[in-house]
Structure formats: structure tokens, C-alpha cells
Amino acid sequence: MTIKDIAERCGVSVSTVSRVLNHHPDVSESVRARVLEAAREAHYVPNNSARDLVRTRSDGIGLVVRGVGNPFYSKVIHAVERAIDGAGYSLVLHQIGSDDDELLAGATISRSKKLQGLIFLGGKGNYTAEDIVILDVPFVCCTYTVPFTRLPRESYSSVAIDDRKEAYRAVKLLLDRGCRKIGILLNARDDRSIGELRYMGYCRALEEAGIRVDETLVEETGTFALPNVYKAAKCLLERRGDLDGVFAIADSMAMAAIKALHDAGRSVPGDCSVTAIDGIEMSAYMLPTLTTMAQPQSELGTAAVKTLVDMIQGRCGNRHILLPASLRVGGSVAPAE
Amino acid sequence: MTIKDIAERCGVSVSTVSRVLNHHPDVSESVRARVLEAAREAHYVPNNSARDLVRTRSDGIGLVVRGVGNPFYSKVIHAVERAIDGAGYSLVLHQIGSDDDELLAGATISRSKKLQGLIFLGGKGNYTAEDIVILDVPFVCCTYTVPFTRLPRESYSSVAIDDRKEAYRAVKLLLDRGCRKIGILLNARDDRSIGELRYMGYCRALEEAGIRVDETLVEETGTFALPNVYKAAKCLLERRGDLDGVFAIADSMAMAAIKALHDAGRSVPGDCSVTAIDGIEMSAYMLPTLTTMAQPQSELGTAAVKTLVDMIQGRCGNRHILLPASLRVGGSVAPAE
């Protein structure tokens, strides 16, 4: 696959493809995105040495966020901002939609803003070596890792919690408090990202306790949008009125689940205990307050910036950091007997 | 006051001041901010015609947000982003802290990114004509207006709700449901911004009902941070255990207030009804669900962009748009008798 093939595929001239791949600014964003997408599909590898000679960089670090409105990201973004500022770089904040491709978005802004590096806040866990070819700067996956492919660990950095383990702990707590019919609310079991990892943790906790995973207790919501999660939780309750515990993979999902339980006439934690993962501020002010595995939100952001800056400045290569979540006990779980 | 005076005051050379005022990129952000601040304090008015001749602009529109983590801004930001994209411009998202000066931040990014215009999400209501001199592009105040000074209405645009009126409606609803001892939770009565306006609405509703405003029912929280609001609500309840209604000027404040009421052994709405302003998604999933004046979040963002783009493209001058909030009835208010 040559530049000419990419040009034909995109219906643009060879010089346009060249301008995109060589980071010239005089290309529209839509053409730029199209060409990068085609280059990636074609596994096109640019000639780095020639490119780097002509390139000048800004002092910008890009933060690609999957929805700045996600309450879990709020403290992470603050910490990233402070750390970037403290390190003498400037933040370029770029928001993408829930279905957007973070790598393509990152590659596009990296070129148009001549960034030094990228931090992805939220993303997929199945990048391949070919997927990341379009990224021409160091990058850090923040709040997630890439465990679902053979992507060499030295080709990217990550700062996250151990999703499987923290999900295991959240479900183990329900088991310890006597729950046996434990439902799970999650976006999808096979999202190749945190949904799948947290589902694995749920399964492991049940299996360790000698409980078979019961399909009728697994509810996939498709999205994290509260109205959808609320509807899904209602379906779960209609199907399994006898459940005595719910593990929601996010605090916001747990809020919708607790409302659904309440609206179905079931008390929390009297009839059903609820745990989650995240530790957003608001879930400590709901009634009952949520029992959750609180992610170290500020530390995740700070460590992501430190890792990236070390890479940019050549002080280290790629790094993978797992930070522990901490149990925040609320009123949503029945007291220990 | 001349450029020379500004240079002396800032301890930099005349050519540096000139570079800042003429938007050259080769000045550090800290020097740029210092010079702009001094120029503003000095009411320095640059020679626009000469400046505009040499200036070339990007297609960027700046969105200066006072905290992207504020849950109320989430849908507004989404709408702004969609509308900017739809109009063929590109969004430059810039976050500032709660104590930062939005005008200075806007002036700085407008120059460094050569923006076409600015939208401020959250700001003060007492700008003077001298304050806004540093802004060299059209701008729109989004979710607030500037009623506290004699700033000519033709010198800026705004898109907001009528804060006084919607606060009046939220308190009137409490009065209609039989509340007579109505507390108010607000950041400050004299913030020259939405706190002050919503306090005016609270006072008007009480006075119309023949109830004198009682100092002991007014609780100023200082900030919107939930731990502070919760503490302030506890103080209010300790001082006035007999209150039968609470108006919180933001949904998030109402959540903290309802938790404080619950922790003090008082039921909502049995012992005390609660109303607020905002209409964030999560407050419809708390227990009890919140009764609130829901701001038209998406419409505020869309109208702000439309106004700004019309100004940039010369299709209209400044505009002031007030959009109505809509009552979202929840379980936090006692039913009508």
C-alpha cells in the first residue's frame, strides 16, 4: 500500500495525502480524518526520520476525553490540568463522543496542534500494533489498559486500577454480607474494555464462592446513560424479583439501580445490597450513600501526566502503573452479621 | 497611560508589551497575562484599526468554562460543541478555576489561538466597559447576564434564564404547598452573579406572601463544593430546626441539603420540602427525586453559538436572550393539599 493507493481510496490527490501525513496545516479536518483512517486501515507506516526533521512542536499535551460530562472524569481532568501546568506544558482538551475513535481523534489533534504527547481518558482495551501506528507522539492510556490483544507493553503506557480485582472485591463484599443472588449491571460483557474486565471479576468472585454465574442475573445496558440504565435495572428486577444484591460497574449506574429498586418497592439495603466502582463525589450524598470501590481519581491523572512527561523528556520509556481503589463504605450494603 | 507606562509597571520592555497587544505568539503566557492585566487596570485601549489589518484568524471559537466538572455544564458543553461543529468552526475548550478571571483567560486564549469569538460558561454580572476592553473578539455570556453595572447592553451578548424569576417560582411553589419557614442555601448573597439574583427572587416571593425575610433562615455556603454545602446545611438545621422548606440555588446543593435533613432525622418532604434550580440528570435519580426549575441546558448552548456566529459573520449585532426554565416535579415537595 502506497500513498497513491491511499489517495485513490480517499478520492483526493497524492499531494493532499502527503500534506496530511507530513502534518501540513492546510488540509480540512474532514479530509485529514479520512486520510488518517485509510492510512491506518492500510497499515501505512510513514517515514519517521524524514518527517521528524521538518517538524516543529508546540508545548501542548492533548487530553482526549470521552465525554467531559462523565462525573467520574471530573477530578481526573482537574488533576491532569494541574500536573500539565506544573510541568510547564499547556493542556489541549479535546472531547469526543461515546462512539468516536479515540486514536483517530488523538492522531488528528496531535498533527493539527503539533502536540508533544497524548493522554486518553477512556478507551478500548484491544488496540493492535497497526492501530497505534497513526499516533506520532508518546501516549498514555488513563483509567484503562490494553489487555485484550498482544499489543507489546513497551509500545504504550497506562495508568489505571486493576478492574478485574476491584470488581472482584466489590462482589466479594456482597457475598461476605450474605448475598447469594447477585445481579450485575454493566454496559456490555464483551466491550473489550472495562465492562468486560469487571464482568470477569464478578464471575471470579462468584465461582470462588461456589456459585454458578446465572445468565438471568446479568443485565447489559448498552450505554452508561441513566435513563437506559434505569430501564435495564427495572427489567432485571422484573425477571429476578428475588435478587438480594446488585453490583453496578459504575456509581452512576448504581444510582439508577437504587432508584429502580425503590420504585419496585424494595428497600436498600434491607431487601437488596448494592456496590459499585468509581467513588464519584455525588454518590456519597445520595440516600442511602453508596458503598463503592473509590478510584484514586486525582492520583490517576497526576501519574498519567508524570509518565507522559518522563517519556517526552526521554527520562523513561513506557510504563504501566496500577493504582489501588479504596473501599468507601456507605449505607447501600447490609451491615456485617 | 501609554504602552511605556504599562511596560514599566510590568517590568518588561516596551516591545514586549507591543508584542502582547499585537498578538504576536512569541511571549510567555505568564508575561502575556501580566501585561493584559495591567492594560486592563490602566483602561488602555489599543488602536483597533491598525491591529485588525495585520491580524489573521483561525476558525476557532473559544469556550471558557468555570470547571468542566460542574454537572450542570455537561449538557450545555455538548450542545455548544455540536453547534460549533455544525456551523463549520472548531471548538477551543478552556477550563478555568473557580477563582480565575474569565475575561483575562478569554483575552489570553483569544490572542494566542487567534480565535473568532468567545463563549463564557459562568461568570460575573458586574463587568464594566473597561473590563471588557481586553476582549478583541465578539463574546457571549452563557447561563448568566450582566445586570449589576451600567455596561451598555449593546457591548455584549447573553443567553440565560431569568434567574430572579425562576428563583421566585421555585420559592412560590414551596409557599403554595404550605411552607412558611423557608430556608435558602446559596453561595453568597452579594456575589454580583447568580447567587445574588436568585436571592432577590427568594426575597420577592416571601415579601409577596407577606413574610419578612428572616436572617436566620439564610445560609451562605461560600462555594458550591458538596462537603461545604453539607456542613452549611447542618448549621442551618441546628439553628432553625423548625424550618419547613428549603430553596437551594443549585441541584447539587439540594442533594447535600436533603442528605443533611435525613441525617438530622427529618424526612423530605414529610417534615420539609425542597426545591432548586438547574435540572441536572442525576437529581432525577436521587431519592426522593428533586423538584427543580430545569434550565434548558441544550438550548442555552445552541442559542449562545448561534448568537456568536451571527455576530462573527456580521448578520447581527449584540443580542440578549432569556430562555424559560421548566418546572420538573419530583418527590422532594409535599403534594398539593
Side-chain angles (χ1 to χ4, degrees):
Chain A
M1 171 74 64
T2 66
I3 283 194
K4 194 159 162 254
D5 299 322
I6 295 172
E8 271 172 21
R9 181 179 293 196
C10 298
V12 300
S13 68
V14 168
S15 71
T16 298
V17 174
S18 168
R19 280 206 303 279
V20 171
L21 296 175
N22 289 295
H23 329 296
H24 289 200
D26 55 342
V27 184
S28 77
E29 286 305 303
S30 66
V31 167
R32 186 185 304 279
R34 201 139 41 91
V35 169
L36 288 174
E37 178 76 60
R40 189 169 70 165
E41 279 173 7
H43 302 174
Y44 177 82
V45 182
N47 180 339
N48 281 304
S49 52
R51 188 187 64 190
D52 287 344
L53 281 174
V54 297
R55 181 109 182 246
T56 58
R57 299 230 173 243
S58 74
D59 66 347
I61 288 178
L63 177 65
V64 179
V65 184
R66 196 172 290 283
V68 294
N70 182 334
F72 166 63
Y73 289 152
S74 144
K75 276 194 182 172
V76 185
I77 294 173
H78 266 282
V80 165
E81 195 161 38
R82 266 198 313 273
I84 285 179
D85 197 51
Y89 291 84
S90 70
L91 170 68
V92 176
L93 184 59
H94 185 73
Q95 173 165 240
I96 59 172
S98 53
D99 295 330
D100 290 342
D101 179 334
E102 64 274 7
L103 296 184
L104 191 57
T108 306
I109 64 158
S110 165
R111 282 165 172 78
S112 65
K113 313 268 185 198
K114 297 189 163 59
L115 301 179
Q116 298 272 356
L118 287 163
I119 296 172
F120 294 105
L121 199 45
K124 290 284 176 196
N126 61 343
Y127 303 148
T128 63
E130 288 76 25
D131 287 338
I132 64 170
V133 158
I134 55 170
L135 297 175
D136 58 345
V137 290
F139 69 99
V140 179
C141 303
C142 183
T143 72
Y144 69 106
T145 57
V146 182
F148 291 106
T149 55
R150 291 174 190 275
L151 184 64
R153 279 170 64 85
E154 63 274 17
S155 62
Y156 74 105
S157 285
S158 68
V159 178
I161 61 165
D162 184 335
D163 287 287
R164 263 172 293 211
K165 180 175 139 197
E166 304 303 352
Y168 167 86
R169 290 175 67 196
V171 177
K172 181 81 165 52
L173 179 68
L174 292 171
L175 290 163
D176 289 347
R177 299 295 168 94
C179 303
R180 284 299 170 269
K181 296 164 188 160
I182 300 173
I184 179 170
L185 264 177
L186 79 174
N187 58 323
R189 265 177 288 193
D190 56 355
D191 71 348
R192 312 261 89 183
S193 187
I194 59 162
E196 192 159 343
L197 291 169
R198 294 179 187 179
Y199 179 69
M200 291 175 183
Y202 164 80
C203 293
R204 201 187 106 210
L206 292 186
E207 282 156 14
E208 253 190 38
I211 299 174
R212 211 167 39 81
V213 174
D214 181 339
E215 282 294 309
T216 64
L217 285 167
V218 179
E219 187 69 39
E220 294 176 297
T221 62
T223 74
F224 288 83
L226 290 183
N228 298 32
V229 176
Y230 177 76
K231 268 183 229 152
K234 275 184 78 168
C235 289
L236 173 62
L237 290 173
E238 278 161 23
R239 195 168 61 235
R240 290 298 302 260
D242 61 332
L243 56 68
D244 56 12
V246 170
F247 165 57
I249 69 156
D251 279 16
S252 58
M253 285 188 167
M255 291 183 75
I258 289 174
K259 174 142 181 16
L261 281 159
H262 173 266
D263 292 351
R266 310 206 63 207
S267 84
V268 176
D271 299 322
C272 181
S273 291
V274 177
T275 59
I277 296 181
D278 272 353
I280 62 173
E281 191 176 39
M282 274 200 180
S283 68
Y285 289 90
M286 54 187 278
L287 295 172
T289 53
L290 186 62
T291 297
T292 187
M293 303 305 306
Q295 300 205 46
Q297 297 163 46
S298 300
E299 291 81 355
L300 287 166
T302 307
V305 173
K306 180 160 183 3
T307 299
L308 183 62
V309 167
D310 281 350
M311 290 163 71
I312 291 170
Q313 300 182 351
R315 273 200 300 276
C316 81
N318 294 63
R319 238 182 347 223
H320 296 276
I321 299 174
L322 282 185
L323 296 174
S326 54
L327 174 64
R328 198 185 76 196
V329 177
S332 67
V333 166
E337 276 160 26
Chain B
M1 173 71 68
T2 66
I3 283 192
K4 194 156 163 258
D5 300 322
I6 295 172
E8 272 172 20
R9 181 179 294 196
C10 297
V12 300
S13 69
V14 169
S15 71
T16 298
V17 174
S18 169
R19 280 205 302 280
V20 171
L21 297 175
N22 289 295
H23 328 297
H24 288 201
D26 55 341
V27 183
S28 78
E29 286 305 301
S30 67
V31 167
R32 187 186 302 280
R34 200 140 42 91
V35 169
L36 289 175
E37 178 77 58
R40 190 169 70 163
E41 278 172 9
H43 301 174
Y44 177 81
V45 181
N47 181 341
N48 280 305
S49 52
R51 187 188 63 188
D52 288 344
L53 281 174
V54 297
R55 181 104 179 251
T56 58
R57 298 230 172 243
S58 73
D59 66 347
I61 288 178
L63 177 65
V64 179
V65 184
R66 197 172 288 285
V68 294
N70 182 334
F72 167 63
Y73 289 152
S74 145
K75 277 193 181 173
V76 185
I77 294 173
H78 265 281
V80 165
E81 195 162 39
R82 266 198 312 273
I84 285 179
D85 197 50
Y89 291 84
S90 70
L91 170 69
V92 176
L93 184 59
H94 185 74
Q95 173 164 242
I96 58 172
S98 53
D99 294 330
D100 290 342
D101 179 333
E102 64 274 7
L103 297 183
L104 191 57
T108 306
I109 63 156
S110 164
R111 282 166 173 77
S112 66
K113 314 267 183 195
K114 298 191 163 61
L115 300 179
Q116 296 273 354
L118 287 163
I119 296 173
F120 294 105
L121 200 46
K124 288 284 177 196
N126 61 344
Y127 303 148
T128 63
E130 288 75 25
D131 287 337
I132 64 170
V133 157
I134 55 169
L135 297 176
D136 58 343
V137 289
F139 69 99
V140 179
C141 303
C142 184
T143 71
Y144 69 106
T145 57
V146 183
F148 291 105
T149 54
R150 289 173 191 275
L151 184 65
R153 279 172 64 83
E154 62 274 16
S155 63
Y156 74 105
S157 285
S158 68
V159 177
I161 61 164
D162 185 335
D163 287 287
R164 261 172 293 210
K165 183 175 137 196
E166 304 302 352
Y168 167 86
R169 289 175 68 196
V171 177
K172 182 81 164 52
L173 179 67
L174 292 171
L175 291 163
D176 289 347
R177 300 293 169 94
C179 304
R180 284 298 170 270
K181 295 163 188 161
I182 301 173
I184 179 170
L185 264 177
L186 79 175
N187 57 323
R189 266 178 288 195
D190 56 355
D191 70 349
R192 311 262 90 184
S193 187
I194 59 162
E196 190 158 345
L197 291 168
R198 294 179 187 180
Y199 180 68
M200 289 176 183
Y202 165 80
C203 294
R204 202 187 105 211
L206 292 185
E207 281 155 15
E208 253 190 38
I211 298 172
R212 212 168 38 81
V213 174
D214 181 339
E215 282 294 310
T216 63
L217 285 167
V218 178
E219 187 69 39
E220 294 175 298
T221 62
T223 74
F224 287 83
L226 291 183
N228 298 31
V229 175
Y230 176 77
K231 267 184 229 151
K234 275 184 78 168
C235 289
L236 173 61
L237 289 173
E238 277 161 24
R239 194 167 64 235
R240 290 297 302 261
D242 61 332
L243 55 68
D244 55 14
V246 170
F247 166 56
I249 71 157
D251 278 16
S252 58
M253 285 188 166
M255 291 183 76
I258 288 174
K259 174 142 184 9
L261 280 159
H262 173 266
D263 292 350
R266 309 207 63 207
S267 82
V268 176
D271 299 324
C272 181
S273 291
V274 177
T275 60
I277 294 181
D278 273 353
I280 63 172
E281 192 176 39
M282 274 200 180
S283 68
Y285 290 90
M286 53 188 277
L287 295 172
T289 53
L290 186 62
T291 298
T292 187
M293 303 304 307
Q295 299 207 45
Q297 297 163 44
S298 299
E299 291 81 355
L300 287 165
T302 308
V305 173
K306 179 160 184 4
T307 299
L308 184 60
V309 168
D310 281 350
M311 289 162 72
I312 291 170
Q313 300 183 349
R315 274 200 300 276
C316 81
N318 294 65
R319 243 189 334 231
H320 296 277
I321 299 174
L322 282 184
L323 294 174
S326 53
L327 173 63
R328 196 185 77 194
V329 178
S332 67
V333 167
E337 279 161 22

